Amino acid sequence: MPTTGNTAPWWRSAVIYQVYIRSFADGNGDGVGDIVGLRSRLPYLKSLGVDALWINPWYKSPMADHGYDVADFREIDPLFGTVAEAEQLIEEAHGYGIRVIPDIVPNHTSDQHAWFQAALAAGPGTPERERYIFRPGRGPDGTQPPNNWVSVFGGPAWTRLPDGEWYLHLFAPEQPDLNWQHPEVREEFESILRFWFSRGVDGFRIDVAHGLIKDPELPDLPPRQDTGHPHWDRDGVHDIFRTWRRLADEYGGDRAFVAEAWTDTPERLAAYVRGDGLHTAFNFDFLMASWDPKDLRTVIDDSLTLLSAVDAPATWVLSNHDVMRHASRYARKTVRRWSPTEPYRPDGPPDPALGTRRARAAALLMLGLPGGAYVYQGEELGLPEVEDLPESVLQDPIWERSAHTDRGRDGCRVPIPWSGRTTPFGFSPDGASAAPWLPQPANWGERTVQAQTGDKTSMLELYRTALHLRREHPALGDGTLTWLDSPEGVLAFSRGQGFTCVVNLSAEPYPLPEHASILLSSGPVEDDLLAPDQAAWLSA
Ligand code: NOJ
């Protein structure tokens, strides 16, 4: 990778674009995104101005959870391409100055992984079963699961085999949990990291980083969680990541990890990135916050205070492939605070214009904050959640596992519209043999990259301009902020070097503080008044 004159490591300020590869760009016309499609869109990503790509799992997988059930970590799934194509992608992306960070999924494998198949074949009590978490059941004939743990996708976290033993899966039954107390599991993942580091990847996003270590006693979940949880965010995970950090440091070029770690408090999150631990962790508190000045300010302050105490940068995120897109979350008058333990249920029908206005302001807020940021594919197009997908097309395992009470995450995973007036909107090539794997709304012709390019009022041009300004302006990216006096309902902060960001979350227009010029605003500003749900970047 080319180096810049800047001496701070790239990951302290990077804008990382999340590629949900299944839905990004389909190169071979089978209705599913792939590496060939992604390679063809690198010029777009370059012109957007992102620093790196996080690519959701592309490994060989039966796709019970769209790739988060990995059967072979050293193979690319044929749906997406080949290892040779992955290598080409990495090289080409580097040629554009864009880094590449694949997902790694260490908490579980697919039930089709060679290790799990061997464990099934070998039977109870064999060493093959020790790489996973197998146990006899409870009750006189073992018909009750070993404990009361529940799957994140609904239902019990245990499945019984015909031979009588049960195995643990914190997600779908097709995703058996690995036993991270087993040295072979640790060695295998270190070897997988090396496999991909030596192919040039710049880091990894670590799936379920907070889940690897289970209480060896496997106790029942207590009715109230006062102290440590038996399988989430246990202290033992940090040992694993310290080893991974040392391993990454052996390679040149500032390889970096980002942890998907859901923790109860920002203090617990900071533990993942302190000292010799991981480089960064997603800041989900920002994503979960409501569109409320107090809530947002508290999250920003807590995150910055705790992360700066361990000298780690914040990484802000508004949307990803697991949550309702923020243009739709914000499209309700009252924005519900999200809690990861429940499906997100918005309040009332959406007001798309409101959602777009707030999403534009949120983009300037996020990109103006100290640290790095994640942009989920399509958020730069202002894509809403597709809330009305017909039940017959839903594919997320959550839909079945919740007995059709939770529609799951398909609504934020609809294939990207690139061009044209009708589906597949350039997602697949002309003459494709299959329709996009999820149907695209008929009106997405207005949302395509083609339709928005050059339109100064579009979400795409707002992101493009913001990302380019962010690269050029010395105040942006890594650093600190200073809150400025402002009425309740307005967030105003300075980043030094004459840069100020103002976000109006109140119901009244707000007169902008003194400034030499408006660098960028999320909507038209007249008479220096910032309208409700608008944001501006100012130069002193
Ligand atoms: C978190 C991922 O983001 C999600 O998509 C996946 O279903 C679970 N981990 C299980 O791997």
Side-chain angles (χ1 to χ4, degrees), residues 65 68 108 153 171 205 207-208 260 321-322 409 413:
D65 185 19
Y68 281 100
H108 41 265
F153 292 163
F171 294 88
R205 177 260 187 194
D207 189 59
V208 198
E260 184 216 18
H321 65 296
D322 288 333
R409 303 161 292 179
R413 299 174 173 182

Side-chain angles (χ1 to χ4, degrees), residues 149 213-215 221-222 225 227-234 264:
W149 295 4
I213 296 293
K214 281 81 182 173
D215 183 332
L221 291 167
Q225 196 59 57
T227 49
H229 191 283
H231 62 72
W232 292 141
D233 189 27
R234 295 183 65 78
D264 284 342

Side-chain angles (χ1 to χ4, degrees), residues 401-417:
R401 299 271 308 164
S402 70
H404 297 187
T405 57
D406 181 348
R407 290 168 60 85
R409 303 161 292 179
D410 291 320
C412 64
R413 299 174 173 182
V414 172
I416 295 298

Side-chain angles (χ1 to χ4, degrees), residues 128-150:
E128 284 83 349
R129 291 214 167 173
E130 285 167 21
R131 296 182 187 126
Y132 293 89
I133 302 175
F134 284 89
R135 289 290 184 282
R138 288 200 286 202
D141 43 10
T143 53
Q144 298 304 309
N147 67 24
N148 67 356
W149 295 4
V150 286

Side-chain angles (χ1 to χ4, degrees), residues 7 20 65 85 139 171 175 188 209 222-223 280 289 325 352 370 385 415 429 471 475 509 519 528:
T7 49
Y20 192 70
D65 185 19
E85 284 172 8
F171 294 88
Q175 294 166 296
E188 173 63 358
T280 59
R325 283 187 176 275
E385 180 84 0
R471 270 171 184 257
L519 296 170
D528 277 348

Side-chain angles (χ1 to χ4, degrees), residues 157-206:
W158 296 91
T159 289
R160 193 175 197 201
L161 294 166
D163 61 33
E165 273 208 325
W166 296 74
Y167 69 89
L168 177 72
H169 51 85
L170 291 178
F171 294 88
E174 296 87 350
Q175 294 166 296
D177 277 55
L178 285 162
N179 170 16
W180 273 85
Q181 312 292 356
H182 197 305
E184 277 176 32
V185 171
R186 295 186 184 227
E187 283 157 22
E188 173 63 358
F189 273 87
E190 287 163 32
S191 155
I192 294 164
L193 294 179
R194 288 186 188 284
F195 179 90
W196 287 103
F197 275 142
S198 65
R199 279 164 181 77
V201 303
D202 299 282
F204 288 92
R205 177 260 187 194
I206 307 171

Side-chain angles (χ1 to χ4, degrees), residues 108-358:
H108 41 265
T109 67
S110 160
D111 60 351
Q112 300 304 310
H113 190 284
W115 275 5
F116 195 71
Q117 288 298 311
L120 292 184
T126 55
E128 284 83 349
R129 291 214 167 173
E130 285 167 21
R131 296 182 187 126
Y132 293 89
I133 302 175
F134 284 89
R135 289 290 184 282
R138 288 200 286 202
D141 43 10
T143 53
Q144 298 304 309
N147 67 24
N148 67 356
W149 295 4
V150 286
S151 152
V152 174
F153 292 163
W158 296 91
T159 289
R160 193 175 197 201
L161 294 166
D163 61 33
E165 273 208 325
W166 296 74
Y167 69 89
L168 177 72
H169 51 85
L170 291 178
F171 294 88
E174 296 87 350
Q175 294 166 296
D177 277 55
L178 285 162
N179 170 16
W180 273 85
Q181 312 292 356
H182 197 305
E184 277 176 32
V185 171
R186 295 186 184 227
E187 283 157 22
E188 173 63 358
F189 273 87
E190 287 163 32
S191 155
I192 294 164
L193 294 179
R194 288 186 188 284
F195 179 90
W196 287 103
F197 275 142
S198 65
R199 279 164 181 77
V201 303
D202 299 282
F204 288 92
R205 177 260 187 194
I206 307 171
D207 189 59
V208 198
H210 60 309
L212 307 191
I213 296 293
K214 281 81 182 173
D215 183 332
E217 304 296 324
L218 303 182
D220 271 343
L221 291 167
R224 274 187 47 232
Q225 196 59 57
D226 292 328
T227 49
H229 191 283
H231 62 72
W232 292 141
D233 189 27
R234 295 183 65 78
D235 289 340
V237 297
H238 302 304
D239 233 23
I240 299 168
F241 298 137
R242 275 192 285 271
T243 309
W244 286 22
R245 174 69 186 250
R246 280 198 300 276
L247 192 156
D249 287 347
E250 286 174 29
Y251 293 80
D254 264 337
R255 320 285 173 117
F257 292 108
V258 56
E260 184 216 18
W262 293 87
T263 61
D264 284 342
T265 61
E267 286 92 335
R268 297 285 311 176
L269 186 67
Y272 285 75
V273 290
R274 76 181 159 212
D276 49 1
L278 298 171
H279 308 77
T280 59
F282 291 110
N283 186 355
F284 292 123
D285 281 347
F286 188 60
L287 175 157
M288 291 191 286
S290 57
W291 185 246
D292 172 86
K294 273 205 201 110
D295 202 9
L296 285 166
R297 183 162 169 167
T298 306
V299 165
I300 294 167
D301 278 340
D302 288 355
S303 306
L304 291 177
T305 307
L306 290 156
L307 290 168
S308 65
V310 292
D311 195 28
T315 53
W316 309 101
V317 50
L318 289 166
S319 275
N320 65 32
H321 65 296
D322 288 333
V323 298
M324 177 181 254
R325 283 187 176 275
H326 64 273
S328 294
R329 293 201 312 270
Y330 293 160
R332 274 71 189 189
K333 202 163 177 315
T334 313
V335 180
R336 197 181 276 274
R337 199 173 204 293
W338 190 58
S339 147
T341 53
E342 284 165 32
Y344 188 80
R345 303 217 192 275
D347 269 343
D351 171 347
L354 179 66
T356 301
R357 203 160 62 239
R358 289 175 172 167

